[in-house]
């Protein structure tokens, strides 16, 4: 105490999962991806479904580094895009980035999945939000698209529990969840888009 004033020293540790150079490279690559996907003017569902399917095709779960606490890149959308591997946070952050770029409100939600640390997204269609988990929908191929965790209500989003700060009344008021899962279109069409040097088959609902 100096002259009746409490003084002290505080230390902060900032952990960066990637570098500024990697972030710049990611932004440039996302711009290329968006140009290839050509989703401007499409309905919200078509944008969300295409982003979801693209990520599920592009990324594989990083089992090699899952338990390596020193390898922080696994948590990033950079690793998802450039290495093709990431853990759930990398999937969720890539979905978040692409949705926001297309003007779709989206959040990453941390919590547990089947009692293990996990992350996923909520995304807005109309005036309500739905759950999306690209990690758990990742079947590794557009030939076998999985939508078990796409645009689900809380009641239908099984084995997911949010961290407490994302279950408050204030948070729920800011991000009102739909009481029912989104009704996915019965008819699904597929089309080819060029992503860099690769052609991939995308699926989207007929709106």
């Amino acid at each position: 105490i100096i002259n009746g004033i409490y003084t002290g020293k505080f230390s902060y540790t900032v952990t960066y999962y990637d570098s500024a150079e990697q972030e710049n490279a990611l932004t440039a690559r996302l711009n290329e991806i968006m140009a290839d996907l050509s989703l401007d003017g499409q309905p919200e569902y078509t944008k969300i479904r295409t982003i979801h399917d693209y990520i599920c095709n592009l990324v594989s779960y990083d089992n090699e580094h899952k338990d390596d606490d020193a390898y922080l890149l696994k948590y990033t959308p950079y690793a998802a895009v450039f290495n093709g591997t990431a853990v759930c946070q990398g999937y969720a952050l890539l979905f978040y980035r692409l949705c926001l770029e297309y003007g779709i409100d989206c959040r990453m939600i941390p919590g547990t999945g089947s009692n293990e640390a996990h992350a996923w997204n909520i995304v807005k269609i109309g005036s309500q939000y739905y759950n999306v988990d690209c990690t758990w929908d990742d079947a590794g191929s557009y030939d076998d698209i999985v939508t078990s965790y796409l645009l689900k209500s809380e009641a239908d989003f099984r084995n997911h529990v949010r961290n407490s700060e994302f279950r408050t009344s204030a948070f729920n008021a800011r991000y009102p969840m739909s009481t029912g899962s989104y009704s996915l279109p019965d008819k699904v069409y597929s089309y080819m888009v060029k992503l860099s040097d690769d052609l991939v088959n995308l699926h989207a609902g007929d709106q």
Side-chain angles (χ1 to χ4, degrees):
I1 301 175
I2 301 176
N3 296 326
I5 299 174
Y6 287 91
T7 63
K9 180 183 292 186
F10 298 92
S11 297
Y12 297 91
T13 300
V14 178
T15 301
Y16 294 97
Y17 289 168
D18 57 5
S19 67
E21 291 79 7
Q22 288 169 329
E23 276 296 308
N24 290 336
L26 174 63
T27 297
R29 182 69 185 112
L30 292 182
N31 287 335
E32 294 174 354
I33 291 170
M34 291 173 60
D36 289 335
L37 292 178
S38 300
L39 292 173
D40 290 336
Q42 294 295 320
E44 290 172 322
Y45 169 75
T46 301
K47 293 178 181 178
I48 292 167
R49 176 67 189 268
T50 303
I51 293 168
H52 166 275
D53 290 2
Y54 169 69
I55 292 173
C56 290
N57 182 69
L58 174 71
V59 187
S60 297
Y61 193 83
D62 193 352
N63 288 299
E64 178 182 354
H65 298 105
K66 177 183 177 181
D67 298 318
D68 184 355
D69 294 336
Y71 185 73
L72 300 180
L73 203 64
K74 64 186 175 184
Y75 298 110
T76 67
Y78 177 90
V81 168
F82 286 99
N83 299 342
T85 58
V87 294
C88 55
Q89 183 172 317
Y91 282 80
L93 286 174
L94 180 55
F95 184 83
Y96 167 82
R97 288 283 297 269
L98 285 171
C99 282
L100 288 192
E101 290 292 342
Y102 278 114
I104 299 173
D105 197 14
C106 182
R107 285 289 304 262
M108 187 183 80
I109 304 293
T112 59
S114 296
N115 298 316
E116 294 187 357
H118 193 46
W120 59 93
N121 299 95
I122 57 172
V123 64
K124 189 177 185 181
I125 295 182
S127 61
Q128 296 181 311
Y129 289 80
Y130 299 84
N131 291 292
V132 176
D133 190 341
C134 291
T135 308
W136 283 16
D137 271 350
D138 183 6
S141 171
Y142 276 109
D143 294 329
D144 186 22
I145 295 297
V146 176
T147 58
S148 300
Y149 298 93
L150 175 63
L151 298 175
K152 296 299 183 180
S153 65
E154 287 292 280
D156 293 337
F157 204 53
R158 60 189 183 277
N159 299 322
H160 290 73
V161 179
R162 300 181 185 188
N163 287 348
S164 59
E165 61 267 36
F166 298 93
R167 289 185 274 121
T168 65
S169 57
F171 186 87
N172 290 332
R174 171 65 181 84
Y175 300 97
M177 297 296 297
S178 173
T179 57
S181 295
Y182 190 82
S183 180
L184 303 185
D186 292 331
K187 182 179 179 181
V188 175
Y189 62 85
S190 62
Y191 56 97
M192 302 297 293
V193 298
K194 190 173 187 297
L195 296 174
S196 294
D197 295 325
D198 301 318
L199 283 173
V200 297
N201 187 26
L202 298 185
H203 297 65
D206 189 4
Q207 293 282 303

